[in-house]
Amino acid sequence: AGASSPRAVMDDPSDLALLQACLVRLKAGPSQWSAALDLCRSSGQPWRAASLAGGLPYGRITPETSDDADLGEEKKEEGPVEFGNPDRALWKRTAWAMSRAIAGSASSPAASKASELEGAIYALLSDDTETGLANPSLRSWEDGLLIHLRSMVGRYVDEVLAAHNDVRRTVGVRYPYRGSEHGPYEREQLTSTSSIATLHEADIFRALGASPYKQVRDEASDPFRAAIAAFVTGSHEASAFVTRTAN
């Protein structure tokens, strides 16, 4: 299949397998996400890797330098090295919009399993809890827990970056610091995820137990998952669970 455009390859079996692999690696955590991006590139889809790779916060580091006394080499000064995406806020809002657009076309005759998987990936990347929970490819208790916890962490990161950039915007009025140009998108993302700001672990497990999807509700009542929920929520719930189980 050609790699000239996303839609040209959407329903190709190899792309379906690629998207499934990307979703699995995304759910596995940050340590596996770079492998997913490498897989996109090695599969002839560098555009997909570029589309998915924008979530790393922007920054600069100064590499450490050292002398080699045996060779008589002098210490060389090196400038800072940039990393991450300075347009991260814009990228995240774009990922959110793509997640919603794909979900909105789910009932279309042109909808496919590949687009469903792609929508699940963008929902996770953009912390779009509502769309992620409604995606059929994320329809398990563990997936629901992952969606909520990722969104809580993502919201915290967004708050920290927005606060940092607010200070940088105040200082750099005339000459803006790179990466601080997207204040409106930062505020838009924080507004969209405002419900996550007050979310607690107990709220997550209650929501999963009351899910509109029978599979998730049934899995929430499983004793093993109930034990996980009790111990994650805190010592009081854990004690209550042990007492109920013993009785």
Side-chain angles (χ1 to χ4, degrees), residues 92-236:
K92 197 162 187 177
R93 293 310 300 164
T94 302
W96 180 288
M98 293 184 68
S99 167
R100 294 286 170 118
I102 293 172
S105 62
S107 59
S108 166
S112 65
K113 180 64 177 178
S115 62
E116 175 188 304
L117 290 166
E118 190 169 39
I121 291 170
Y122 281 116
L124 288 172
L125 291 175
S126 63
D127 303 325
D128 187 353
T129 305
E130 179 182 349
T131 305
L133 291 172
N135 190 294
S137 289
L138 297 171
R139 195 65 59 74
S140 73
W141 184 87
E142 285 80 6
D143 288 336
L145 181 58
L146 173 69
I147 291 167
H148 281 105
L149 293 179
R150 272 189 63 97
S151 296
M152 290 174 70
V153 173
R155 164 78 189 196
Y156 177 75
V157 172
D158 290 341
E159 288 176 345
V160 171
L161 292 176
H164 177 61
N165 283 331
D166 282 342
V167 174
R168 299 173 81 212
R169 282 187 281 268
T170 300
V171 175
V173 175
R174 187 171 183 181
Y175 301 105
Y177 287 96
R178 191 176 187 207
S180 66
E181 304 96 329
H182 300 299
Y185 294 115
E186 292 171 357
R187 291 187 289 274
E188 186 178 309
Q189 179 68 15
L190 291 175
T191 299
S192 295
T193 59
S194 59
S195 62
I196 301 172
T198 57
L199 198 66
H200 297 282
E201 287 82 358
D203 300 324
I204 296 174
F205 295 116
R206 278 195 293 268
L208 294 175
S211 170
Y213 306 109
K214 184 177 184 300
Q215 177 185 340
V216 179
R217 293 196 306 272
D218 289 346
E219 290 175 349
S221 64
D222 172 71
F224 177 72
R225 294 183 176 90
I228 293 174
F231 281 90
V232 169
T233 301
S235 57
H236 176 74

Side-chain angles (χ1 to χ4, degrees), residues 57-64 78-84:
Y58 172 75
R60 297 192 300 172
I61 57 173
T62 302
E64 295 183 0
E78 296 186 31
V81 176
E82 296 183 339
F83 64 90

Side-chain angles (χ1 to χ4, degrees), residues 6-16 19 110-115:
R7 298 303 172 191
V9 297
M10 183 60 69
D11 295 314
D12 188 278
S14 62
D15 291 286
L16 181 61
L19 287 165
S112 65
K113 180 64 177 178
S115 62

